[in-house]
Structures are given as structure tokens and as C-alpha cells.
Amino acid sequence: MPNHKFDPFGFSSTPFSENEKTPFLDASRKQVIKRMRTFLNYRGFAVLSGGSGTGKTMLLNHLCRSLAPNEHRIIYIPFAMLKPADMLKNICIKLDLEPTVSTTKMLGSIQNRITEIQPVNPVLVLDEIQKISHPTLEVVRLMTNFNFEEKNLFSVVMAGSDEFLQPLRLKMNEPLRQRVTCFQHLCTLSRDDTKKYINHHFETAGAHHEVITEQASSLVYDLTAGTPRLINSLVFASLEEAADAGSKIIDLDHINAGNELVSLPTQEVFQ
């Protein structure tokens, strides 16, 4: 439901909502989607990295929604910091298997189910991968090791911040690193794409007129460095400032006022 506070803007839904069905894809994100689709054809391991707030989860959700359900079985684990047994239990549940107290039995059950559902491609998506422990990571690797020498029967997408790349370089993770055939990285948006990103959200929400000035969009980029999550927070706060002021367009003053709301207070404030 749209926020009635924003009625003067003509929105049919609330902009910058998390359940947006049509995400903004700049050229680099379209390329990432294309390469990830190619990877899924061959299966194996892929890594999607990027800075905090660059939209990794959004991109993965978009990719998974676009996959044919009769060709792919999505197993999405939002928090990869699970212990090995808990990871296997979650995967069992998503594969309609009964979890057990035995890690070995769960591994076997998962491997058997993977074989049974072929040629459907099971896609295991591990989000927040930078928080995963080595034992859990090793269990995931072992899970894909069963009778898979001739053909990969599993796709594993590991998504997280760039800090995951460092432990992946460690010698103890070399067996896994060698299995990764697709490394993709999400960057922040350019100044021009930041403007397009903002306008995309407003148009998707139903706006049929200019909602933000050119100068205000440029200031958003200066304040957020093109990070999508920061753009969302800043522009939404600025939209509320404009609505409170009775304005139908966001200008520089509204961006500056919104920035005061979403920015971390300076240390002087607490002195």
C-alpha cells in the first residue's frame, strides 16, 4: 500500500520498498546476471562479492525469480554463519528431507536427493558468506563431492562482502577455490546511473513527472558514493522532507535535510 503522505507525488506504491519486482540493472549488473546464468548451465561453484549495500541479495533474488522452476531447485540460506549440522539441517528441509542428528546421514540423504531430482539443477545460495566458518564451508564442499566427477549435479552460489575473498586465498581452502569457476563483483553506481537508479524507483512506484531535480540527484551521489542501500535511505528521507514541506519535487534543501536524518551523528553531538 502506498504511503498517503506521498499522495501529491502520484505514487501507486511506496518507492524504494524491498519487495520491488523490477530492480534497476545498470550495464555491469546486467553483465553479472548474464555470466551467472552461463555459470548455472555448467554448475559448480560461483562467488558474488561486493561492498556492503551494493545490492548482492537483491541481484540474487532477481536471478532466482527468473529461473524456470521446472529446471532449477532454489535452496536459499540467508545466514551462512550456521554450524555444519545446522547448515545440513536447513538444506535437508528445503529438499523435503527429514533432518537427523547424524551429519554423515544427512550428507548421504542430500547427495541421494540431488541425484534423484536430476536433470533439475539444485542451486544452493549461501548469503553473508563472509561469516561462514571453515568447518561449515568444508561440509558444503564435501556435500558436492559425491559421485560428481563426471558431471556437476549441483550449483553453489556464495555471496558476501569482499572480505570473504581473503580466507578463500588460504591454503586450507585451496580445494574449494579451485572449484570456483565464476567470480563476479558488484560495484557502486556511477553518477549517471545513480540518477537513473533514483528515477527508476520513482517510475516503478507510479510517478509520471519529475520527482527530483538534476542537482539533487547529483548531491545524492556525492553523499552516498553511489551505494544503492545508502541511496535508498537518503532519498526516502528526503522524500519525506519534501512531503512535509508541501513540495512535489525533491530539491537540494530536502536532500540536505534528509542527510541529517540518515547520517551518523558527529562525535561533537555527544560532548
Side-chain angles (χ1 to χ4, degrees):
M1 294 294 292
N3 188 330
H4 293 296
K5 183 178 184 179
F6 301 149
D7 284 349
F9 295 96
F11 297 135
S12 56
S13 62
T14 302
F16 299 99
S17 59
E18 293 184 359
N19 58 354
E20 186 180 14
K21 295 290 191 267
T22 54
F24 173 79
L25 299 175
D26 62 349
S28 66
R29 282 162 176 76
K30 288 179 181 178
Q31 184 76 335
V32 168
I33 289 287
K34 179 181 178 181
R35 289 173 175 169
M36 293 295 287
R37 283 183 174 278
T38 300
F39 153 76
L40 290 174
N41 289 333
Y42 296 98
R43 311 189 184 190
F45 283 81
V47 172
L48 176 64
S49 64
S52 177
T54 49
K56 297 178 291 295
T57 300
M58 177 279 297
L59 196 75
L60 286 174
N61 286 338
H62 173 67
L63 174 64
C64 290
R65 285 198 304 265
S66 69
L67 298 176
N70 61 326
E71 297 177 3
H72 300 85
R73 179 74 176 266
I74 307 301
I75 307 165
Y76 179 65
I77 308 294
F79 306 110
M81 73 283 289
L82 296 171
K83 294 180 180 179
D86 291 330
M87 175 68 75
L88 293 176
K89 287 177 182 177
N90 274 268
I91 295 172
C92 280
I93 292 171
K94 292 181 184 296
L95 287 173
D96 302 319
L97 296 169
E98 187 69 30
T100 68
V101 294
S102 170
T103 298
T104 303
K105 287 183 178 180
M106 284 192 289
L107 273 173
S109 296
I110 291 170
Q111 291 163 344
N112 290 338
R113 179 56 55 88
I114 296 308
T115 304
E116 291 171 2
I117 66 176
Q118 296 301 311
V120 171
N121 178 21
V123 182
L124 174 61
V125 180
L126 301 175
D127 214 345
E128 300 293 341
I129 193 68
Q130 74 277 2
K131 299 179 181 179
I132 198 169
S133 67
H134 175 70
T136 301
L137 198 58
E138 186 65 7
V139 162
V140 172
R141 184 185 70 82
L142 291 174
M143 184 177 62
T144 66
N145 255 2
F146 174 73
N147 262 352
F148 292 179
E149 296 303 323
E150 296 183 2
K151 179 183 177 183
N152 286 322
L153 305 183
F154 214 130
S155 294
V156 180
V157 180
M158 302 178 287
S161 65
D162 294 330
E163 62 187 274
F164 174 63
L165 300 179
Q166 192 59 38
L168 202 55
R169 295 185 177 99
L170 298 177
K171 186 175 181 179
M172 65 180 180
N173 288 323
E174 182 64 14
L176 174 64
R177 191 199 65 76
Q178 291 181 3
R179 283 171 165 77
V180 178
T181 58
C182 180
F183 284 96
Q184 294 298 301
H185 183 265
L186 280 192
C187 300
T188 55
L189 299 172
S190 66
R191 185 179 297 275
D192 185 53
D193 281 330
T194 294
K195 175 186 175 183
K196 293 177 181 178
Y197 175 83
I198 295 170
N199 288 332
H200 166 83
H201 277 278
F202 287 145
E203 291 167 5
T204 301
H208 297 289
H209 66 282
E210 183 183 48
V211 179
I212 186 169
T213 66
E214 185 92 20
Q215 295 85 352
S217 289
S218 185
L219 180 57
V220 169
Y221 174 79
D222 292 336
L223 294 171
T224 64
T227 303
R229 184 184 296 154
L230 298 180
I231 295 172
N232 295 352
S233 299
L234 175 56
V235 177
F236 189 83
S238 303
L239 184 65
E240 290 194 310
E241 290 293 325
D244 288 341
S247 175
K248 294 183 179 180
I249 191 167
I250 300 172
D251 60 23
L252 292 173
D253 289 339
H254 302 133
I255 297 296
N256 284 319
N259 189 52
E260 290 185 11
L261 289 173
V262 301
S263 296
L264 184 68
T266 60
Q267 192 171 5
E268 289 77 11
V269 172
F270 303 103
Q271 293 178 348

